[in-house]
Amino acid sequence: MASYLQIADDEKGHELDLFCVPRHYENDLDKVIIPHGLIMDRTERLARDIIRDMGGHHIVALCVLKGGYKFFADLLDYIKALNQNSDKSVPLTVDFIRVKSYCNDKSTNNVKVIGGDELSSLSGKVSLVTHDIVETGRTMQTLLSLLSECNPKMVKVVSLLVKRTPRSSGYRPDYIGFEVPDAFLVGYALDYNEYFRDLSHICILNDQAKEKYKV
Ligand code: IMP
Ligand code: MG
């Protein structure tokens, strides 16, 4: 079982005033729940664990857009640092796919995959799917079943966050950064109707903001 840093249900988080948060979001957030520095430190360790396990192969790192883009970029930077500073190194190529399943703060049953044509290039390859957050697990399960049609040699999934929720299908990624409470989180590329990707820390969205940015 993947190990992870657990953020408890009663975690109080940190006051916004203690960190730098864009002015335009100051009234929309309750607490900073995972500061950017902690995300980076945990990501550095995930890079090490991934290279330890997958290091013998050429890895195709597949970024699941849009929410995964920050985590993808930072994880790959740490993998690159390992490659540059050790005797063993792993060839790495990148690919991108876009999925959409959310409206407001609810997962819809309809998981849309955009850019799936490129997936055939993963045939026979070892891929590392990089994802922002697993809630029900439906997005990742849909994507994994599409990937398996392309006969990859190996697929591993790393998700920065996994939500503790009764809505979970039971799906767990191979690598997990943090396990988080059942709240709506934004920042570090996680969005609410496309807002809050431009926020460095992972924060809890407040109820007024859910109304304000509702579509
Ligand atoms: P799942 O298919 O229910 O596992 O949902 C995963 C997707 O829903 C993620 O890739 C996100 O795009 C979105 N999502 C789920 N929970 C949150 C959240 O707390 N904040 C932002 N996006 C979320
Ligand atoms: Mg989203």
Side-chain angles (χ1 to χ4, degrees):
M1 260 256 291
S3 50
Y4 49 82
L5 197 159
Q6 180 159 5
I7 310 285
D9 285 336
D10 60 358
E11 167 67 48
K12 289 192 231 14
H14 311 282
E15 293 298 333
L16 290 182
D17 295 350
L18 298 172
F19 292 91
C20 294
V21 169
R23 269 283 155 76
H24 53 274
Y25 291 144
E26 265 173 7
N27 299 322
D28 302 329
L29 306 166
D30 270 350
K31 287 282 164 67
V32 172
I33 190 100
I34 315 177
H36 183 255
L38 183 57
I39 301 172
M40 298 301 280
D41 291 337
R42 179 74 190 118
T43 302
E44 182 177 20
R45 179 54 197 251
L46 286 171
R48 198 171 105 182
D49 292 349
I50 288 165
I51 292 306
R52 178 198 60 208
D53 300 345
M54 301 179 73
H57 307 273
H58 166 163
I59 300 173
V60 182
L62 184 66
C63 175
V64 184
L65 295 169
K66 295 178 185 174
Y69 93 89
K70 280 294 296 167
F71 178 49
F72 182 79
D74 289 330
L75 181 70
L76 261 60
D77 277 351
Y78 282 120
I79 293 178
K80 270 162 52 192
L82 289 172
N83 272 339
Q84 280 160 198
N85 297 304
S86 65
D87 294 331
K88 279 202 270 176
S89 70
V90 190
L92 203 64
T93 50
V94 298
D95 213 334
F96 298 85
I97 189 169
R98 177 149 183 228
V99 298
K100 195 163 169 47
S101 63
Y102 247 67
C103 184
N104 296 324
D105 62 345
K106 294 281 175 310
S107 178
T108 65
N109 281 318
N110 180 13
V111 181
K112 276 194 222 132
V113 178
I114 308 159
D117 298 351
E118 304 301 320
L119 292 180
S120 57
S121 65
L122 294 173
S123 169
K125 304 255 175 72
V126 170
S127 73
L128 176 69
V129 181
T130 309
H131 195 47
D132 55 354
I133 181 165
V134 171
E135 186 178 357
T136 63
R138 230 176 284 140
T139 303
M140 203 30 74
Q141 283 171 318
T142 305
L143 186 53
L144 286 175
S145 75
L146 276 171
L147 284 175
S148 72
E149 288 168 18
C150 306
N151 299 312
K153 186 166 163 191
M154 185 203 292
V155 179
K156 296 275 185 198
V157 177
V158 56
S159 184
L160 177 64
L161 309 174
V162 172
K163 212 178 265 190
R164 259 189 318 279
T165 168
R167 296 181 300 288
S168 166
S169 66
Y171 167 76
R172 300 289 281 190
D174 301 288
Y175 302 93
I176 300 169
F178 301 85
E179 196 190 69
V180 293
D182 195 2
F184 198 80
L185 305 177
V186 292
Y188 195 69
L190 277 87
D191 73 308
Y192 178 76
N193 294 331
E194 299 300 327
Y195 290 94
F196 303 100
R197 297 198 201 272
D198 57 335
L199 166 71
S200 299
H201 313 290
I202 295 180
C203 300
I204 299 186
L205 194 63
N206 67 30
D207 290 337
Q208 295 107 274
K210 285 185 189 170
E211 269 315 304
K212 180 172 160 190
Y213 299 99
K214 205 175 199 129
V215 292

